[in-house]
Amino acid sequence: MGRAKVAAVLVAAGRGLRAGGKIPKQYRRIGGRLVLRVALETLARHPGVDLVQPVIHLDDADRFAEAAAGLATLPPVPGGATRQASVLAGLEALADARPNLVLVHDAARPFVSARLIALAIDTALRTGAAVPGLPVVDAVKVVTGDSRIDREDLVARNRLRLVQTPQAFAFDALLEAHRRAAAAGLEDFADDAAVATWAGLDVTVFPGEPENVKLTTEEDFSRAEHCAAARLADVRTGSGFDVHAFGAGDHVMLGGVRIPHTHALSGHSDADVVLHALTDALLGALTDGDIGEHFPPGDPRWRGASSDRFLAFAAARVRDRGGAIGLLDVTVLCEAPRIGPHRAAMRARIAEIAGVPVSRVAVKATTTERLGFLGRGEGIAALASATVRLPGDGHD
């Protein structure tokens, strides 16, 4: 029997404005990264998750497209007026895929770990329904309407849990529970565990993680920003350089953009000096070899290859280390073609390939004042730098 098919519903349809500002909290940034992007990336790249179904607000289509750039997810579906309705919309969208198990996760919990996702899957496969929970460490009191402690209502703290997401369930059972609740006109369940228990399902609680906080208030964002900075404390800068000579052709590839020209650049791949230099800059920041080590020029697999594969690979190496790209900066050295008219397109394409906002990509150009082989128009060179933030204190 093969592995169970696991899907995830990422709930991101809320307005979430209590944290302040006019942007829904899932589209705010922490440590320079979109909150939604962080959660979505963890789910989409998890080896135990086969499908990710985002649920968004119709007004956020453009914001979501930026957050999901380069990630393999299903097309987002619009949410409902309540969280419960949004989850049902996501479940219905997955019905034809017939997963065995489904995770439901709130986009406002960006710090969910791969370990917690795996634990949710394993526990739900054994029990049919499982949610992460943290023990309550403070004393808990029930108060009366005039703010006095109710002497008649004693709370057994050891039996209480603060429940988080992702919550994991047998898919068919959760879908049926949500459909029944909707048909009964019940719309205010706090979470999917509440829907499941109302429908008669037994739900197991497994250990959650304190870091898996839900961002609700401005104070939450301030603490999260501090934690993100502390977690990614190892700031590194790498550099890269590449040069290719001109040969026969009618265009050059620069920064993933096809630019008409009197010549082409000669090379084993598509000879995109911009993407090659940026790839080496990222690999350098990781002390992870160079482009030639990972993609040997003598290997026929890379003959004529599109260089976006190389930069995407290096960016993924950063994420695999739990890090984030802070800046990609490249300078193109050539007499022709002119880079200015294509700068915006190059920045957008580099950002798309690397999975970062355009605001974190800089493209500049200069000439060598007609000096040397570049000045004679014999080729194009690119000089790049990349800044990355990695977990730890730099003493690994």
Side-chain angles (χ1 to χ4, degrees), residues 85-99:
S86 294
V87 173
L88 178 56
L91 295 173
E92 295 287 7
L94 285 168
D96 288 342
R98 300 189 62 80

Side-chain angles (χ1 to χ4, degrees), residues 84 88 176-189 195 198-199:
Q84 187 178 327
L88 178 56
E176 177 62 22
H178 267 276
R179 285 173 173 172
R180 284 176 54 197
L186 302 175
E187 301 176 346
D188 297 324
F189 287 108
V195 177
W198 169 84

Side-chain angles (χ1 to χ4, degrees), residues 69-83:
L71 297 178
T73 73
L74 297 171
V77 296
T82 64
R83 180 191 183 280

Side-chain angles (χ1 to χ4, degrees), residues 244-271:
H244 283 283
F246 282 127
D250 61 1
H251 73 279
V252 294
M253 294 297 299
L254 291 176
V257 175
R258 180 187 174 104
I259 299 175
H261 191 51
T262 55
H263 295 81
L265 289 172
S266 299
H268 188 64
S269 63
D270 62 6

Side-chain angles (χ1 to χ4, degrees), residues 108-182:
R109 292 187 186 270
F111 301 123
V112 60
S113 70
R115 173 194 167 278
L116 192 65
I117 292 171
L119 187 56
I121 294 171
D122 290 344
T123 309
L125 286 174
R126 287 189 292 103
T127 66
V131 301
L134 296 174
V136 177
V137 296
D138 295 320
V140 179
K141 306 296 183 183
V142 176
V143 298
T144 63
D146 58 356
S147 299
R148 296 176 185 273
I149 294 176
D150 188 338
R151 285 180 284 183
E152 302 298 322
D153 201 337
L154 301 177
V155 178
R157 182 179 62 185
N158 64 321
R159 297 182 59 194
L160 299 179
R161 295 294 184 271
L162 302 175
V163 174
Q164 305 174 322
T165 66
Q167 301 184 359
F169 307 87
F171 178 80
D172 291 341
L174 185 64
L175 177 57
E176 177 62 22
H178 267 276
R179 285 173 173 172
R180 284 176 54 197

Side-chain angles (χ1 to χ4, degrees), residues 15-369:
R15 294 294 78 202
L17 301 178
R18 275 187 290 172
K22 297 181 179 180
I23 300 175
K25 60 187 177 183
Q26 60 269 34
Y27 296 103
R28 290 182 58 177
R29 295 185 185 275
I30 293 177
R33 305 181 70 200
L34 290 172
V35 168
L36 175 59
R37 171 76 186 196
V38 179
L40 189 62
E41 194 171 87
T42 305
L43 286 169
R45 293 201 162 101
H46 196 283
V49 177
D50 301 291
L51 302 168
V52 178
Q53 178 59 70
V55 183
I56 69 171
H57 194 282
L58 285 174
D59 293 345
D60 296 333
D62 290 342
R63 290 189 179 113
F64 175 80
E66 177 187 355
L71 297 178
T73 73
L74 297 171
V77 296
T82 64
R83 180 191 183 280
Q84 187 178 327
S86 294
V87 173
L88 178 56
L91 295 173
E92 295 287 7
L94 285 168
D96 288 342
R98 300 189 62 80
N100 303 106
L101 201 72
V102 64
L103 308 175
V104 182
H105 186 63
D106 294 325
R109 292 187 186 270
F111 301 123
V112 60
S113 70
R115 173 194 167 278
L116 192 65
I117 292 171
L119 187 56
I121 294 171
D122 290 344
T123 309
L125 286 174
R126 287 189 292 103
T127 66
V131 301
L134 296 174
V136 177
V137 296
D138 295 320
V140 179
K141 306 296 183 183
V142 176
V143 298
T144 63
D146 58 356
S147 299
R148 296 176 185 273
I149 294 176
D150 188 338
R151 285 180 284 183
E152 302 298 322
D153 201 337
L154 301 177
V155 178
R157 182 179 62 185
N158 64 321
R159 297 182 59 194
L160 299 179
R161 295 294 184 271
L162 302 175
V163 174
Q164 305 174 322
T165 66
Q167 301 184 359
F169 307 87
F171 178 80
D172 291 341
L174 185 64
L175 177 57
E176 177 62 22
H178 267 276
R179 285 173 173 172
R180 284 176 54 197
L186 302 175
E187 301 176 346
D188 297 324
F189 287 108
D191 62 1
D192 302 286
V195 177
T197 53
W198 169 84
L201 301 177
D202 290 327
V203 181
T204 298
V205 178
F206 61 90
E209 294 179 343
E211 299 82 8
N212 184 29
V213 296
K214 185 176 183 181
L215 304 179
T216 302
T217 67
E218 189 60 41
E219 290 74 19
D220 294 334
F221 272 85
S222 296
R223 285 191 293 269
E225 189 73 44
H226 177 76
C227 291
R231 187 178 71 85
L232 299 179
D234 186 1
V235 181
R236 302 181 177 191
T237 300
S239 63
F241 177 81
D242 194 43
V243 59
H244 283 283
F246 282 127
D250 61 1
H251 73 279
V252 294
M253 294 297 299
L254 291 176
V257 175
R258 180 187 174 104
I259 299 175
H261 191 51
T262 55
H263 295 81
L265 289 172
S266 299
H268 188 64
S269 63
D270 62 6
D272 190 325
V273 293
V274 170
L275 297 189
H276 292 184
L278 286 168
T279 299
D280 263 348
L282 283 176
L283 294 174
L286 296 176
T287 61
D288 192 13
D290 59 24
I291 191 171
E293 179 179 337
H294 294 283
F295 305 97
D299 190 330
R301 288 181 298 168
W302 314 122
R303 183 174 292 116
S306 176
S307 296
D308 56 357
R309 299 170 62 178
F310 307 153
L311 181 58
F313 169 85
R317 301 285 274 198
V318 176
R319 290 188 289 268
D320 290 344
R321 294 271 293 272
I325 297 172
L327 179 69
L328 295 174
D329 181 19
V330 63
T331 299
V332 185
L333 298 93
C334 65
E335 296 295 329
R338 292 186 61 228
I339 302 302
H342 308 283
R343 189 192 316 271
M346 290 169 63
R347 292 182 65 210
R349 181 62 181 137
I350 291 168
E352 179 184 15
I353 297 167
V356 299
V358 175
S359 60
R360 294 187 175 270
V361 177
V363 173
K364 308 182 298 296
T366 189
T367 70
T368 58
E369 301 294 337

